[in-house]
Each structure stands twice: as structure tokens, then as C-alpha cells.
């Protein structure tokens, strides 16, 4: 079965109403990265960090997957599909995609600060100071912060190497190591990049750039791949 590997970023969830990070009016316009998404921030101002992720989590309960998320599910009719997402939302899961690898963690999960293997589902939006793991330590968001390793990157590289077709959707390709995954795809394999503001990338062979919003560009490409 032909294997399609898909790398998604904040742009695929934009039309669901989730803010991207780097667009004008994106999240990093309002917050300084070091203030909310780093181990230093957590050490110096845990209240602010908790509040930032609580607001993101609260919003997640108010949004729905959009046509781009649903179109990727349809690809499973004919292909072996693996999604690698930089997003911490659960919109791929809620749309119904089967194989999803989260590179930067998951907003609806929290984990222990003394044992990273103690990961819990949070069934409501708010993580509070004083919420503790079974070993008695404060729980933190289960997200990868700047300066922290990306535990799933080796798996993502291995998956990318097996791709017959590679599709990148809605990412500025600014954050490594995720942005480097495209370099693991064999030169002769077709690659697609769907992003209305995609840069002119010339170093990657067999790359088709589709400058459209995900809600339009993804269903179109999916229909083309399914031969509809
Ligand atoms: P960015 O905010 O850097 O990039 C979002 C991309 O989505 C941009 O290239 C936009 O042009 C594009 N975009 C906007 N609207 C779109 C739409 N309707 N359809 C398709 N594309 C659209 O977000 P990411 O690349 O995902 O990490 O950012 C990568 C990482 O940076 C995030 O996972 C996050 C952040 O720091 C962590 O929090 C660890």
C-alpha cells in the first residue's frame, strides 16, 4: 500500500479558529516565547505558564475540526496514512485520523515534574497550582518547551524515510527539528506543501507548492490523490 506521511502545523487548525504562532496576530505577537513556553518561565512564573496553557485548552473545547482535518481521514480509504503533527490540539483525533504522532506534546495531557513517564489525560480545561502526580509533585503541561528535547523526533524521522508521498500543511517550517523532516524524504518521491504564504523553497526536489488555505487546498489534493 502506498504510504503517505503528512506533517502538519498550526495553519491546518487556523480555519477552526485556533491561532497560529507566527502570523500577524499570531500567538507570539501577544506573548514572548520565553515568558510562557520555556523551562525558565516555568521556574520563574508558573502561574503565567499555567494560565497560558489553560486558555489554549479552554479554547480547544470550543473549536471543531475543519474540512482539511476531515479530508485527511478520507485518504485512509486508499493509502497507508501517517500524520506527524506539531500541533498540541486534538483536531486530527476528533476528525477521525488513525495514526497520529504528536511532536510537541498534547494540550489535553499533563505530566509529573519528577517523572516524565507519568502522563495523565486532563478531563477539564484547567490545570491548577497544587494539582499533583501520584508521586506528589506539581503537574505541568505535556508540551515540549523551547530548549527541551523532542522525544518523538527519532520516530518521526524513521516514519518520514518510509514515505512514498510527503505532504506538509500549514507550517512556517521555522522550528527545528520538525522543519528538517522533509530532508529525510527520497529525492524521487512527490512532495506537496500547502500554505497560503509558503516561501519559495528550491532545495527540495519534486516539491509542489500549493498556495491555498488548508480548508481548500487539502480537500482538493486529497480528491486528486484518490482519483476523484
Ligand atoms: P507558525 O505559526 O510558525 O506557522 C503557521 C503557518 O500556517 C504559516 O506558514 C502560515 O502561512 C500558515 N497558515 C495560516 N493560515 C493558514 C490556513 N488557513 N491554511 C494553511 N496554512 C495556513 O506555526 P508552526 O509552523 O506550526 O511549538 O509552528 C511550529 C511550532 O512553533 C509550534 O508547534 C509551536 C511553536 O513554537 C511549540 O510550542 C513547541
Amino acid at each position: 500500500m502506498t504510504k503517505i506521511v503528512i506533517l502538519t502545523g498550526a495553519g491546518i487548525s487556523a480555519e477552526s479558529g485556533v491561532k497560529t504562532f507566527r502570523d500577524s496576530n499570531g500567538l507570539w505577537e501577544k506573548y514572548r516565547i520565553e515568558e510562557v513556553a520555556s523551562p525558565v518561565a516555568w521556574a520563574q512564573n508558573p502561574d503565567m505558564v499555567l494560565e497560558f496553557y489553560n486558555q489554549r485548552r479552554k479554547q480547544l473545547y470550543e473549536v471543531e475540526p475543519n474540512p482539511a482535518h476531515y479530508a485527511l481521514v478520507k485518504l485512509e480509504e486508499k493509502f497507508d496514512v501517517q500524520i506527524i503533527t506539531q500541533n498540541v490540539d486534538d483536531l486530527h483525533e476528533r476528525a477521525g485520523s488513525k495514526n497520529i504522532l504528536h511532536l510537541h506534546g498534547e494540550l489535553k495531557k499533563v505530566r509529573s515534574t519528577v517523572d516524565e513517564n507519568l502522563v495523565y489525560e486532563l478531563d477539564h480545561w484547567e490545570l491548577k497550582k497544587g494539582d499533583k502526580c501520584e508521586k506528589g509533585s506539581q503537574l505541568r503541561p505535556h508540551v515540549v518547551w523551547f530548549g527541551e528535547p523532542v522525544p518523538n523526533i527519532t520516530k518521526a524521522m524513521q516514519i518520514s524515510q518510509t514515505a512514498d508521498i510527503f505532504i506538509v500543511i500549514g507550517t512556517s517550517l521555522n522550528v527545528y527539528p520538525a522543519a528538517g523532516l522533509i530532508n529525510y524524504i527520497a529525492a524521487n518521491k512527490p512532495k506537496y506543501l500547502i500554505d497560503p504564504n509558503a516561501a519559495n523553497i528550491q532545495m527540495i526536489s519534486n516539491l509542489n507548492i500549493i498556495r491555498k488555505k488548508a480548508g481548500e487546498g487539502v480537500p482538493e489534493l486529497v480528491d486528486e490523490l484518490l482519483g476523484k
Side-chain angles (χ1 to χ4, degrees), residues 26-38:
L27 278 171
W28 298 146
E29 293 257 300
K30 214 167 146 206
Y31 297 89
R32 293 218 335 270
I33 294 176
E34 322 81 70
E35 260 172 23
V36 290
S38 70

Side-chain angles (χ1 to χ4, degrees), residues 9-11 15 21-23 86 104 144 146 171-172 175 195-197 214:
E15 287 157 271
F21 294 91
R22 295 176 184 78
D23 288 305
Q86 299 169 85
H104 293 161
V144 174
F146 284 89
T171 170
S172 60
V175 174
D195 189 313
N197 308 306

